[in-house]
Amino acid sequence: MYFCHKIKVNNMDSKELYSIYQQHPVITTDSRDCPEGSIFIALKGESFDGNRFAAQALDKGCAVAIVDDEQVYNSYKGSKQMILVPDTLQAYKDMAREHRRQFDIPVIGITGTNGKTTTKELVRAVLAERYDEMATEGNFNNDVGVPKTLFRLSVMHEIAVIEMGASHPGDIKTLAETAEPTCGLITNVGKAHLQGFGSLEGVIHTKGELYDNLATRPDSVIFVNADNEHLMSILPQGVKTERYTCDNSKTGACVYGQLIACDPFLRLKWRKDGGQWHEVTTHLIGSYNIDNVLAAVTVGLHFDVTAEQICHALESYVPSNNRSQLTHTEHNHLIVDAYNANPTSMAAALDNFSLMQVSPKMAILGEMRELGGSSREEHERVVEKLKGCPFDEVWLVGKEFQGIDCPYRKFDDVEQVKAAITEHRPEGRYILIKGSNGTRLFQLPELL
């Protein structure tokens, strides 16, 4: 179906926008990919403006282009439809919310400073034992990625798991308003994106926006780590909670867990309140992942996944996303956790690697990004912590480590590290690779 005129719809509501999607149920935000009869949404960013490519998208086959630049709207003289809205990103989110409302299914929102992607994948694996699920793919967890994920919902899906990321106050509020979750889970709160949040209190408040959203809806459920004081302190009144804990002296939790070992993989046992213990050997590195596993167990039990199915899912899940991932190469054993880093996750990774009964140990650590005025102090803390770690060799990567007095080898960037490996590759070592994604340490495993 093609339209023969342009429409200026500054006051078009979300239902009217969604009716256009129902006529053309394919959306693209990339003018290089324009399926015939699709809708092009002209999103904008710091270094691009999709409005500039709206006419091109129509010429390539899109049936509709949604723009927020009135000059572009007025200048296009073609025969297909161009729609002007005040804000294309808001229009995208409004349409996605309307699409989500077409499906009366549970939607689980997951956020947190650390572990949200691993937890999402574990929850997804557990739920997939019983349901046709849909979950966030890759890192599509921001104000563009969440709508993109919601548009993947179809009649075949029985449950959805939506990951939500944040770097500024209000981000989770906006994402939750778009996804309208029926259940929620905050993995933890810690020092990350301090440049945007300003403080740990800012992080807690922003992550807590998921709880605030759930509190506005009847029959919502919050899954919460009862051992996390920050999360327990911001639980809203009147919302059902299902709690998990590693403190077996506590009462009132749904799920109890106990660490068995990390040798190197995480082994634990769990039980439903009053039930028998179930032992699980995962493919995850790091004792800190026990919280993520127990979260998945709690969600699974809530949705009537059996204990046997839960254990099967947890033991079958193998990380492949540079998070808590053990890789054996011809030359070394790599603990790859190079997708992201902040002071909280860095400390946890160093503690875990210190406890591993392996030798010799080497750490390649990348700088932690987006810490604002706290950056120097936090990197100095990492260096101080390293002095008490039983590592045979340490390489520090990034300008944030420069100027800090320490006995460790330093590199400006990953290219210098790659050159050093090419010149003299470490052999026969257990190597922790940990750093913010921007340091690009994920390029190192293929060389090691």
Side-chain angles (χ1 to χ4, degrees), residues 259 261-262 264-268 280-282 284 286-287 289-290 293:
L259 176 69
C262 280
F265 293 121
L266 170 66
R267 288 193 292 134
L268 70 147
V280 176
T281 299
T282 74
L284 297 167
S287 58
N289 273 306
I290 191 170
V293 171

Side-chain angles (χ1 to χ4, degrees), residues 157-417:
H157 295 124
E158 299 173 294
I159 196 165
V161 186
I162 308 297
E163 181 181 335
M164 303 177 186
S167 55
H168 297 87
D171 284 353
I172 298 301
K173 179 179 185 293
T174 299
L175 297 178
E177 288 173 348
T178 301
E180 295 186 342
T182 59
C183 307
L185 168 65
I186 303 175
T187 57
N188 51 50
V189 288
K191 294 179 179 179
H193 300 294
L194 294 182
Q195 187 171 349
F197 291 124
S199 65
L200 176 60
E201 289 70 26
V203 177
I204 295 170
H205 176 77
T206 299
K207 301 301 182 183
E209 290 168 356
L210 176 58
Y211 288 173
D212 296 339
N213 183 275
L214 290 166
T216 66
R217 272 189 284 282
D219 304 321
S220 61
V221 179
I222 292 173
F223 306 104
V224 62
N225 182 355
D227 301 331
N228 190 305
E229 294 179 358
H230 291 309
L231 298 181
M232 294 299 292
S233 70
I234 60 172
L235 282 174
Q237 296 293 321
V239 179
K240 180 180 179 182
T241 63
E242 298 201 355
R243 306 177 184 191
Y244 52 95
T245 179
C246 286
D247 183 350
N248 285 280
S249 68
K250 285 184 177 178
T251 59
C254 300
V255 172
Y256 293 83
Q258 184 173 321
L259 176 69
I260 297 176
C262 280
D263 51 4
F265 293 121
L266 170 66
R267 288 193 292 134
L268 70 147
K269 60 181 182 179
W270 65 269
R271 66 178 175 88
K272 188 176 179 180
D273 185 24
Q276 67 181 33
W277 287 101
H278 303 274
E279 186 169 325
V280 176
T281 299
T282 74
H283 292 275
L284 297 167
I285 297 293
S287 58
Y288 49 84
N289 273 306
I290 191 170
D291 291 341
N292 303 331
V293 171
L294 294 180
V297 171
T298 307
V299 174
L301 291 174
H302 176 79
F303 289 105
D304 298 321
V305 183
T306 68
E308 292 74 19
Q309 289 172 322
I310 290 171
C311 290
H312 176 263
L314 296 175
E315 293 188 332
S316 300
Y317 172 70
V318 179
S320 58
N321 51 15
N322 292 321
R323 295 174 170 92
S324 304
Q325 183 178 345
L326 178 65
T327 301
H328 300 286
T329 70
E330 182 181 350
H331 309 282
N332 296 286
H333 311 278
L334 311 179
I335 296 93
V336 184
D337 197 1
Y339 184 80
N340 214 339
N342 55 61
T344 306
S345 65
M346 184 69 81
L350 294 179
D351 286 340
N352 183 74
F353 193 42
S354 295
L355 292 172
M356 288 179 63
Q357 300 301 305
V358 296
S359 182
K361 294 180 182 179
M362 177 180 181
I364 303 177
L365 307 179
E367 65 186 0
M368 303 172 292
R369 302 283 179 87
E370 299 182 45
L371 295 179
S374 301
S375 186
R376 175 73 176 196
E377 178 185 356
E378 295 297 345
H379 284 86
E380 288 176 344
R381 286 182 179 176
V382 170
V383 170
E384 193 61 31
K385 186 176 184 66
L386 281 167
K387 294 176 182 178
C389 295
F391 303 159
D392 299 279
E393 189 171 3
V394 175
W395 291 3
L396 302 177
V397 187
K399 298 187 184 304
E400 293 293 339
F401 284 115
Q402 305 304 320
I404 299 177
D405 184 30
C406 63
Y408 309 122
R409 190 172 179 182
K410 298 177 185 176
F411 302 83
D412 285 341
D413 53 38
V414 72
E415 295 303 320
Q416 289 187 4
V417 180

Side-chain angles (χ1 to χ4, degrees), residues 46-75:
E46 291 183 4
S47 59
F48 68 92
D49 183 354
N51 288 283
R52 295 173 48 211
F53 305 99
Q56 178 181 325
L58 291 174
D59 292 339
K60 284 185 174 181
C62 290
V64 179
I66 298 178
V67 301
D68 56 13
D69 185 319
E70 190 159 5
Q71 185 175 353
V72 169
Y73 170 80
N74 289 330
S75 64

